Amino acid sequence: MHPTTQRLLQSTPNRPGIDTGLLGDCIDACGICAAACAACADACLGEADLAAMRRCVRLNLDCADVCAATGVVASRTLDPDLPSVRALLEACVRICAACGAECARHGAKVAHCAACAEACRTCEQACRKLLAGWPGSA
Amino acid sequence: MHPTTQRLLQSTPNRPGIDTGLLGDCIDACGICAAACAACADACLGEADLAAMRRCVRLNLDCADVCAATGVVASRTLDPDLPSVRALLEACVRICAACGAECARHGAKVAHCAACAEACRTCEQACRKLLAGWPGSA
Amino acid sequence: MHPTTQRLLQSTPNRPGIDTGLLGDCIDACGICAAACAACADACLGEADLAAMRRCVRLNLDCADVCAATGVVASRTLDPDLPSVRALLEACVRICAACGAECARHGAKVAHCAACAEACRTCEQACRKLLAGWPGSA
Amino acid sequence: MHPTTQRLLQSTPNRPGIDTGLLGDCIDACGICAAACAACADACLGEADLAAMRRCVRLNLDCADVCAATGVVASRTLDPDLPSVRALLEACVRICAACGAECARHGAKVAHCAACAEACRTCEQACRKLLAGWPGSA
């Protein structure tokens, strides 16, 4: 967990039933994935075979938007609406999986897509782990 | 539908199976709800009985983040990952319902909460209508 | 001004020296421009001559991000840091001008760019009008 | 620099006149500050003396929005509009300074404000360093 995330989470004690380690990992992974997807979309626009990257740009942008929202919502620990956060984490899992798969298709040839695919996988896994113990029934 | 939304959607024809009217209404409602929730959170911070508004501020901020992401993702019509967008619309329905209910609790006394509750309800309905005909099984 | 914006601003009275009409117009224009730029970037990705649209996509994405932030920050009227908001409005003017000019270059041939160029111009003007009377020296 | 940021920047070579190390540090600092400010705003809402934290919440939210936009815009290195990015970096310096000062006022008593003040200072410095060598006259 990033030391800043840790300091913030340590001083906001109200998180009944949510594991601080998994929460912090998810917040960090969302932030890194959002940044990676935004940068990957831009780098895709600079590729010579731009037509082949259309869908990658598009999914990168969606993934950046959803990860950014998910990380911020997850970081709000004061009296959350748990089913809403669960639904958002599930949406984040899905878009990370879709974007990660598309990036992985290009990853052998395109270095930024390989890096972004890894960020997507890490974020997908971090959201899944947080979801597995999320309070309340699914 | 806002005339700018309509002009944009009319010149991006690739939306197999998605109703343009419902899509535009959803994009517009997400934008208005995101703005209303951001403004309502700020106005809540100015209320005399601030402690009573804690949860309202918190849900307003979540709702603003999720609506902003949902509106933008929905507006991307080039080859979307339909299950991801569906999951995000479902998350948006949930947070709009939760935030709208909290705002409605304050609405009789607090004018900005009444206005925000209405924006949340409109957005929840617009997302539900778009979801009802969303391509692919749920 | 959008009726929801108006209702929100009417119930948050603390805005010494800021004209409510100009503020509301700026908030609305930022929201519409952010949405138009996000949709235009997506529509550009679908154009046959994609290479010619690279810079348009890139500026659209910047403009969407800056307009979204500017609209939300401007809508927070409780005890703002006026020089920060001024600097952000100035950044918004610049990116709207740059993106609007690029969109206008394509506007004769590409309908979504024409619509987006208009949204950029409207937002640039709304920010300029709000800046002209912004409290404190420049 | 975060390894993901580094991998992304290494595979997007088109940055004439911009130092990759300073750019990566700025992108990272913006992401961390945005997350810290969002979490600090939430933690402030949970404080017993909530009235004393009003302005801190408000500036936290502005700082989160501006840092998020700045980090993403800075990460787009394909043919940027340099004066727009400069203006946005300047706005980011200002809001980080304002938010950091407010957080620092509470930092002796409130641990999350101390952590957030540090993130704001780091981000302000990273933006200043990037600005110092930014291409084109101010």
Side-chain angles (χ1 to χ4, degrees):
Chain A
M1 202 190 310
H2 192 283
T4 304
T5 310
Q6 194 160 30
R7 284 178 68 188
L8 265 301
L9 288 180
Q10 275 171 351
S11 57
T12 53
N14 178 17
R15 284 184 300 283
I18 302 172
D19 181 276
T20 301
L22 296 181
L23 178 62
D25 287 347
C26 181
I27 294 168
D28 287 351
C30 284
I32 291 163
C33 191
C37 286
C40 190
D42 181 72
C44 285
L45 283 176
E47 291 294 325
D49 186 4
L50 182 48
M53 310 309 287
R54 287 178 206 258
R55 184 164 163 83
C56 199
V57 174
R58 187 258 190 273
L59 293 178
N60 273 327
L61 296 175
D62 283 0
C63 196
D65 288 327
V66 175
C67 286
T70 302
V72 166
V73 168
S75 78
R76 294 192 189 107
T77 62
L78 175 86
D79 203 4
D81 181 63
L82 293 167
S84 296
V85 186
R86 174 191 293 278
L88 185 58
L89 287 166
E90 286 168 349
C92 197
V93 164
R94 279 192 177 273
I95 184 63
C96 285
C99 183
E102 178 67 20
C103 280
R105 285 208 317 123
H106 303 286
K109 289 189 186 167
V110 186
H112 52 82
C113 288
C116 190
E118 196 176 300
C120 289
R121 270 192 303 267
T122 301
C123 190
E124 182 192 344
Q125 288 308 312
C127 290
R128 282 190 192 280
K129 284 181 189 168
L130 187 59
L131 271 170
W134 196 252
S137 54
Chain B
M1 201 190 311
H2 191 281
T4 303
T5 310
Q6 194 160 30
R7 284 178 68 188
L8 265 302
L9 288 180
Q10 276 171 349
S11 57
T12 54
N14 180 15
R15 284 185 302 281
I18 302 172
D19 181 276
T20 301
L22 297 180
L23 178 62
D25 287 347
C26 181
I27 293 168
D28 287 352
C30 284
I32 291 163
C33 191
C37 286
C40 189
D42 181 73
C44 286
L45 284 176
E47 291 295 325
D49 185 5
L50 181 49
M53 311 309 287
R54 285 179 207 258
R55 185 166 163 82
C56 200
V57 174
R58 187 259 191 272
L59 292 178
N60 273 326
L61 296 176
D62 283 359
C63 197
D65 288 326
V66 175
C67 286
T70 303
V72 166
V73 168
S75 78
R76 292 192 189 107
T77 62
L78 176 84
D79 203 4
D81 181 64
L82 293 167
S84 296
V85 186
R86 175 191 292 279
L88 184 59
L89 287 166
E90 286 168 349
C92 196
V93 164
R94 279 194 177 272
I95 185 63
C96 284
C99 183
E102 179 67 20
C103 280
R105 285 207 317 122
H106 304 286
K109 288 188 186 169
V110 185
H112 52 82
C113 288
C116 190
E118 197 176 302
C120 290
R121 268 193 303 267
T122 301
C123 190
E124 182 193 344
Q125 288 308 313
C127 290
R128 283 189 191 281
K129 284 182 189 168
L130 187 59
L131 272 170
W134 196 252
S137 55
Chain C
M1 203 189 310
H2 191 281
T4 303
T5 309
Q6 193 161 30
R7 284 178 67 188
L8 265 301
L9 287 180
Q10 275 171 350
S11 57
T12 54
N14 178 16
R15 283 184 302 282
I18 302 173
D19 181 276
T20 300
L22 296 181
L23 178 62
D25 287 346
C26 181
I27 293 168
D28 287 352
C30 283
I32 291 163
C33 191
C37 285
C40 189
D42 181 72
C44 286
L45 284 176
E47 291 294 326
D49 186 4
L50 182 49
M53 310 310 287
R54 286 179 207 259
R55 186 166 162 81
C56 199
V57 174
R58 187 259 191 272
L59 293 178
N60 273 327
L61 296 176
D62 283 0
C63 197
D65 288 326
V66 175
C67 287
T70 303
V72 165
V73 168
S75 78
R76 293 193 189 106
T77 61
L78 176 85
D79 202 5
D81 181 65
L82 293 167
S84 296
V85 186
R86 175 192 291 279
L88 185 59
L89 287 165
E90 286 168 348
C92 198
V93 164
R94 278 193 178 272
I95 185 62
C96 284
C99 184
E102 178 67 20
C103 280
R105 285 207 317 121
H106 303 286
K109 288 188 185 169
V110 185
H112 53 82
C113 288
C116 190
E118 196 176 301
C120 289
R121 271 192 302 268
T122 301
C123 190
E124 182 193 344
Q125 288 308 313
C127 290
R128 283 190 191 281
K129 284 181 189 168
L130 187 58
L131 271 170
W134 197 252
S137 55
Chain D
M1 201 190 311
H2 192 282
T4 303
T5 310
Q6 194 160 29
R7 285 177 69 188
L8 265 302
L9 288 180
Q10 276 171 349
S11 57
T12 55
N14 179 16
R15 286 184 300 281
I18 302 173
D19 181 277
T20 300
L22 297 180
L23 178 62
D25 288 347
C26 181
I27 293 168
D28 286 352
C30 283
I32 291 163
C33 191
C37 286
C40 189
D42 181 72
C44 285
L45 283 176
E47 292 293 328
D49 186 4
L50 181 49
M53 310 310 286
R54 284 179 208 259
R55 184 165 164 82
C56 200
V57 174
R58 188 258 189 273
L59 292 178
N60 272 327
L61 295 175
D62 283 0
C63 198
D65 288 326
V66 176
C67 287
T70 303
V72 166
V73 168
S75 78
R76 291 192 191 108
T77 61
L78 176 85
D79 202 5
D81 182 64
L82 294 167
S84 296
V85 186
R86 176 191 291 279
L88 185 58
L89 287 166
E90 286 168 347
C92 197
V93 164
R94 279 194 177 272
I95 184 63
C96 284
C99 183
E102 178 67 20
C103 280
R105 285 207 317 121
H106 303 286
K109 288 188 186 168
V110 184
H112 52 82
C113 287
C116 191
E118 197 176 299
C120 290
R121 269 191 303 266
T122 301
C123 190
E124 182 193 344
Q125 288 307 313
C127 290
R128 284 190 190 281
K129 284 182 188 168
L130 187 59
L131 272 170
W134 196 252
S137 55

